[in-house]
Each structure stands twice: as C-alpha cells, then as structure tokens.
Amino acid sequence: MRGPLFPVSERKRRALAQRLEALGIREEDLEEEFVRSRGPGGQKVNKTSTCVHLRHLPTGITVKCMTERTQALNRYRARLLLADKVEALLKGRQAEEARRIARLRRQKLKRSKRAKEKLRLKRLTAEKKRLRAPVREAQD
C-alpha cells in the first residue's frame, strides 16, 4: 500500500516513508484530524480546515501543524514532526548523553578561552611595568 500523496518532490516523499518505516510508524497507527487554523491568512484560513492534528496511537504522541496554508503540506510537515518526536523518544537516553557531553565540551572551551585571555592580559601588564622602569645610561 502506498502512503498518502503530498505536494512535495518524490525524493522527499520517499525519504519520509523510509524514515517512518525505520521508526516503525505505520499509516494505520496514525489518527488524523483537521481543524481550522488561526493567525495570518485572512479569510482563507477562516474558511478551510488546514490545521492538522496527528496522533500516533501506540505511543500517544500528538503533534499539531498549521505552518503552511495548505492542508496537504501541513499533513507532510506533521508527519516530519511526529517522526522527530518518536525518534527523540526512542533515542532519548543517547541524545541526552550526547547533549550533556557537548555542553561539557563547550564549557571547557569557554574556560580555555578565558584562561588564554587572562594570560594575555597578564603579559600586557608585565610589559607595561617593564617599560616604566628607569632608563639606565650606558657606561663607557
């Protein structure tokens, strides 16, 4: 069975299908609901149901997408958001550890930059003091 058609390139459609399959998300497990969007767009958004609520029944994850003006594009984007959330849930531990390590690296880099700057300032101060010393005349 082919998935739903979206107004995106065939390459993007295939990539989404592969990603959903890799995460174990099937179209049968999705509950889709359309409601009226709100915000900019004027009469168009007030008359059409372009906002997409997508619920993944096995995990209970819900996403809402109303970024685009067309329902079809919002359906595509909602599936991307859902895939991101399911992936974060599945890889939560690994991702959390990676974030912690990255944060520590950034902190160490900041520390090292501060230490180098402090050392540079000390050298400048030492140079200033050296230049203040009285000038000695050469003896013949």
Side-chain angles (χ1 to χ4, degrees), residues 12-138:
K12 285 185 179 180
R13 195 175 299 128
R14 265 195 308 262
L16 176 63
Q18 288 172 353
R19 186 167 179 213
L20 292 177
E21 187 179 326
L23 292 170
I25 302 171
R26 301 178 314 163
E27 281 295 321
E28 300 86 50
D29 295 338
L30 300 178
E31 188 177 276
E32 202 168 30
E33 184 181 13
F34 306 104
V35 292
R36 291 206 174 122
S37 296
R38 58 181 196 199
Q43 192 176 23
K44 172 73 175 159
V45 296
N46 296 330
K47 289 168 68 175
T48 58
S49 298
T50 55
C51 181
V52 177
H53 281 255
L54 197 59
R55 185 185 351 254
H56 186 235
L57 298 175
T59 59
I61 294 175
T62 305
V63 293
K64 181 170 118 177
C65 183
M66 59 180 188
T67 56
E68 304 296 330
R69 288 183 65 178
T70 63
Q71 188 183 85
L73 262 179
N74 280 333
R75 290 179 73 206
Y76 173 76
R77 294 215 186 269
R79 281 166 175 73
L80 286 176
L81 289 172
L82 180 74
D84 290 343
K85 283 193 173 190
V86 169
E87 190 172 26
L89 180 72
L90 294 175
K91 296 182 178 179
R93 287 246 178 238
Q94 297 166 355
E96 188 178 315
E97 184 67 15
R99 276 195 303 271
R100 189 183 69 78
I101 290 169
R103 191 181 75 235
L104 285 173
R105 278 192 188 134
R106 283 193 307 272
Q107 286 175 347
K108 286 180 181 179
L109 185 64
K110 285 179 187 173
R111 260 187 243 137
S112 131
K113 283 181 181 177
R114 281 195 302 262
K116 286 176 187 173
E117 180 63 18
K118 192 173 179 182
L119 198 59
R120 190 182 70 78
L121 290 174
K122 272 186 159 184
R123 285 188 184 129
L124 283 174
T125 306
E127 182 65 19
K128 281 184 206 171
K129 287 185 175 184
R130 192 183 61 75
L131 292 173
R132 286 185 203 148
V135 179
R136 293 186 184 168
E137 293 182 24

